[in-house]
Amino acid sequence: MQIRQLRDLTVSAQGLGCMGMSEFYGTGDQAEAERTIQRALDLGVTFLDTADMYGPFTNEQLVGRAIAGRRAEVVLATKFGNERLPDGTRLGINGRPEYVHAACDASLQRLGVEEIDLYYQHRVDPTVPIEDTWGALKELVDAGKVRHAGISEAAPETIRRANAVQPVTALQTEYSLWTRDPEDNDVLATCAELGIGFVAYSPIGRGFLSGQIRSIEDLAADDFRRHHPRFQGEAFEQNLRLVDRVREVAEEKGVTASQLALAWVMAQSGRDGNPAIVPIPGTKRVSYLKENAAAAELTLGEEDLRRLDEAAPAGATAGDRYPDMSSIHR
């Protein structure tokens, strides 16, 4: 696996999103999830992404168990800010400095580590000045509990203000062939200007770009995608047509649609002035992990990229990314 630089943090060119191992995408097999994380490390996919709210809390514990004895191999990213109770109740977004410190200590304990490599503010709290939240992050870096600080789903001006307090190592947001917003809302441009790395979550479009979801009934009853606008009614049908165009290109190249979608995201790294871009596809199965990791070896030429830009142009996807977009891009 190749490596890339997120500012001054070296990571594998493809990471592993661990969220779905504990929640949101149906019931998970925890033993298989641990095997998936360990196999990822074997393959050189050493950039692991979790958050305290996944589970809630249980995903960090899972990751901690899986990396026990292999800590030195891992670049470990987790997040704070989406506050939940153990029973799953959502309390809202919290960016208060005292909460940042408490959340970090709790994550360190659950993960079983002494230091978090990359600690993200998961969502921006509109009731707390970003300078206050990032002042707390700077204190955590100075204390040696956190090596690097990041932010997720933030607007350019917020990124700039945070970066003035403590260097932003990485900006994480959704980016894929069916979510090309960062190209148009100046987030990619801001990261490039400030030297910030870009981490793309849901690079396979929450699995939709795999081409394996043909009906809402293909999703488990407790799968959160059932409530997403892009998986509803006419939007679902329009998005299927987009996926079929991508799958046609993939079949011609002899790869899966998932691999092609991942390769497209990886090909955007450094392209047209972009910052370094690292996708973190999520999976809870070894078989899909191996398929995803193989995409890192797929090279796309300019003709491939042109065809994909035509198949899935910016703005072609129907429906919002979330049922409630109010906490995005603050």
Side-chain angles (χ1 to χ4, degrees):
M1 180 63 64
Q2 301 170 0
I3 59 171
R4 287 189 178 156
Q5 291 293 129
L6 302 176
R7 198 163 202 153
D8 51 349
L9 176 63
T10 302
V11 300
S12 53
Q14 185 184 119
L16 174 62
C18 299
M19 178 186 80
M21 298 175 178
S22 300
E23 193 181 14
F24 303 110
Y25 292 102
T27 304
D29 179 332
Q30 297 303 282
E32 173 69 5
E34 287 190 42
R35 285 193 294 271
T36 300
I37 293 172
Q38 291 158 359
R39 183 61 177 145
L41 301 186
D42 295 339
L43 294 172
V45 180
T46 55
F47 183 33
L48 305 182
D49 185 272
T50 182
D52 57 1
M53 66 92 67
Y54 302 157
F57 313 125
T58 56
N59 196 245
E60 287 185 325
Q61 294 168 340
L62 166 69
V63 172
R65 290 194 302 271
I67 67 172
R70 303 183 69 173
R71 176 66 181 99
E73 300 174 51
V74 177
V75 176
L76 185 58
T78 191
K79 313 177 194 75
F80 72 90
N82 274 318
E83 191 175 8
R84 298 177 74 184
L85 296 177
D87 66 2
T89 301
R90 294 175 183 264
L91 300 180
I93 297 171
N94 194 338
R96 295 192 301 274
E98 62 273 20
Y99 176 75
V100 178
H101 281 275
C104 180
D105 287 343
S107 287
L108 287 168
Q109 183 175 24
R110 284 188 292 268
L111 290 162
V113 300
E114 297 181 354
E115 186 179 48
I116 295 166
D117 297 310
L118 178 57
Y119 199 36
Y120 291 103
Q121 181 177 5
H122 206 162
R123 292 291 186 270
V124 175
D125 186 342
T127 70
V128 177
I130 196 70
E131 291 80 3
D132 293 355
T133 303
W134 275 68
L137 273 171
K138 185 179 189 316
E139 291 170 355
L140 291 172
V141 172
D142 292 343
K145 294 181 179 181
V146 170
R147 288 181 59 212
H148 301 271
I151 195 165
S152 180
E153 293 286 6
E157 182 57 28
T158 303
I159 298 168
R160 293 180 188 279
R161 289 169 57 192
N163 191 64
V165 177
Q166 163 69 32
V168 178
T169 293
L171 178 286
Q172 182 176 144
T173 192
E174 186 173 351
Y175 186 48
S176 70
L177 274 168
W178 85 335
T179 298
R180 301 184 61 171
D181 312 20
E183 299 172 0
D184 301 321
N185 59 22
D186 288 334
V187 167
L188 275 173
T190 300
C191 289
E193 177 191 339
L194 299 177
I196 297 169
F198 185 100
V199 176
Y201 75 80
S202 295
I204 308 174
R206 304 187 186 282
F208 203 92
L209 291 169
S210 70
Q212 296 182 16
I213 302 169
R214 309 301 298 179
S215 162
I216 198 71
E217 297 308 316
D218 290 334
L219 304 176
D222 57 347
D223 192 308
F224 83 141
R225 290 172 291 185
R226 282 178 170 264
H227 306 290
H228 275 236
R230 292 184 174 181
F231 289 80
Q232 308 298 318
E234 177 54 35
F236 188 98
E237 296 304 318
Q238 180 175 323
N239 293 333
L240 272 182
R241 292 191 286 273
L242 181 152
V243 169
D244 287 341
R245 293 194 297 269
V246 173
R247 189 167 60 175
E248 182 179 323
V249 179
E251 288 174 353
E252 289 180 14
K253 290 192 69 65
V255 298
T256 68
S258 293
Q259 289 173 326
L260 187 63
L262 270 174
W264 181 87
V265 174
M266 298 184 78
Q268 306 313 305
S269 186
R271 184 187 183 206
D272 297 331
N274 283 338
I277 298 175
V278 176
I280 49 168
T283 185
K284 50 192 175 184
R285 296 183 179 88
V286 171
S287 58
Y288 289 137
L289 167 77
K290 291 164 69 175
E291 177 184 340
N292 292 343
E297 307 304 318
L298 179 59
T299 300
L300 300 182
E302 285 303 315
E303 177 61 16
D304 296 319
L305 295 172
R306 184 193 65 76
R307 290 191 63 193
L308 287 170
D309 285 340
E310 289 179 353
T317 308
D320 286 337
R321 296 196 281 127
Y322 288 96
D324 179 6
M325 293 287 289
S326 61
S327 67
I328 303 298
H329 210 63
R330 285 173 171 163

